[in-house]
Amino acid sequence: MGLLDRVERGIEKAVRGVFSTGSRAKVEPVEIASKLRRELDNKSITISAGRTLAPNIFDVLLSDADFTRAQEWGTPLAEELCDVVIQHVRSQGYILQGPVRISFRHDEAQREGHFEITSSTEKSNGAAAPAAPRPVVPAAPNREPTRLQPVLDIGGQRYSLNAPSIVLGRSSEADILVDDTGVSRKHLEIQTADGVIHAVDLGSTNGSYVNGHKVDGSVELTDGSTITMGRTKIIFRLLPQPSGGRP
């Protein structure tokens, strides 16, 4: 069980101990994981149809005290945070040009309990560079039916549903993190089978609602369905996806 697991599951004696001294709140690993996901979504760039490039190098800028604790966490936490990045990249269909690297850095401008993340894209020696622009050639009419890509719109962010099962919740183990105190750690699952998509409540404390009706077991989702979890509203959409491109 890793550092993130201990924070999420309440077995927090080792981690919470270093966070509980002093009068100010300290930076927690789960906060870093959440901010890494946001950094990926904010800094990803669509370079062509179906290819969205995400950063793979991350620097976590910490105050004196938080940097000292980061040194104590060391490589195990950095490895777990790399796993968080890779999992989010896969769930969103992003691409990387090189291996993921996370570093903790001391920043005198940061106050204790506050931190920033900077990111960049670094190509590995064996990674292929983006293809050069090609002349545009008129294509024959596309007679293939347009495919529909299911997505979730949450707080201005769009998440593609590219797996048979996507879990939403407040835990770092969820596929899509919903930062809402009214949301359970693993609150709702989106299941896709045989072209039909269902919302399944995972025994959440406050319940899940689709179009204002409480989910009792599972509910089929259609284009425009509104999902409510805690104070968070989520719109389910089916967007045209011709030729395998991202919405």
Side-chain angles (χ1 to χ4, degrees):
M1 183 179 297
L3 290 165
L4 294 175
D5 294 323
R6 288 202 295 269
V7 171
E8 287 298 330
R9 298 182 183 183
I11 308 174
E12 307 171 20
K13 292 183 180 179
V15 175
R16 290 289 186 178
V18 299
F19 292 142
S20 60
T21 58
S23 59
R24 290 187 57 83
K26 310 301 189 297
V27 173
E28 298 192 16
V30 69
E31 294 177 308
I32 300 176
S34 177
K35 202 161 190 174
L36 280 169
R37 293 188 185 92
R38 291 197 296 271
E39 183 73 11
L40 281 164
D41 293 334
N42 292 336
K43 296 298 178 63
S44 294
I45 301 174
T46 299
I47 56 178
S48 64
R51 289 172 59 84
T52 299
L53 181 65
N56 60 304
I57 306 298
F58 302 87
D59 288 335
V60 183
L61 308 180
L62 299 164
S63 67
D64 291 342
D66 291 320
F67 180 73
T68 299
R69 278 188 296 276
Q71 289 179 308
E72 297 173 359
W73 301 331
T75 301
L77 177 60
E79 290 177 346
E80 288 193 47
L81 292 172
C82 285
D83 290 339
V84 168
V85 169
I86 292 169
Q87 182 182 23
H88 192 69
V89 164
R90 289 174 177 169
S91 71
Q92 298 307 305
Y94 299 152
I95 61 173
L96 300 173
Q97 283 200 324
V100 176
R101 188 177 74 229
I102 294 177
S103 302
F104 301 110
R105 299 193 182 278
H106 171 236
D107 181 7
E108 294 181 352
Q110 300 299 321
R111 293 177 296 156
E112 187 174 359
H114 298 264
F115 68 100
E116 296 292 337
I117 292 178
T118 62
S119 63
S120 60
T121 299
E122 184 176 293
K123 184 173 64 178
S124 64
N125 292 333
R134 297 179 180 178
V136 177
V137 179
N142 183 6
R143 294 184 173 87
E144 295 183 0
T146 299
R147 294 187 299 169
L148 296 177
Q149 170 66 51
V151 303
L152 296 178
D153 287 336
I154 309 175
Q157 297 289 332
R158 176 163 291 172
Y159 299 86
S160 296
L161 303 178
N162 296 319
S165 171
I166 299 290
V167 175
L168 290 76
R170 199 160 42 86
S171 168
S172 63
E173 297 177 354
D175 299 305
I176 298 177
L177 181 70
V178 180
D179 189 10
D180 183 333
T181 56
V183 171
S184 298
R185 290 172 56 250
K186 291 187 177 180
H187 194 109
L188 184 78
E189 181 180 13
I190 305 296
Q191 296 180 351
T192 303
D194 299 325
V196 181
I197 302 175
H198 287 86
V200 181
D201 186 81
L202 299 177
S204 62
T205 300
N206 296 322
S208 305
Y209 297 82
V210 173
N211 297 329
H213 299 286
K214 188 172 184 178
V215 176
D216 184 10
S218 68
V219 173
E220 182 177 348
L221 298 176
T222 58
D223 185 34
S225 292
T226 300
I227 303 169
T228 304
M229 300 164 48
R231 297 183 301 276
T232 302
K233 287 191 176 181
I234 303 167
I235 306 300
F236 173 79
R237 299 292 310 280
L238 292 171
L239 301 180
Q241 188 189 12
S243 303
R246 284 175 59 88

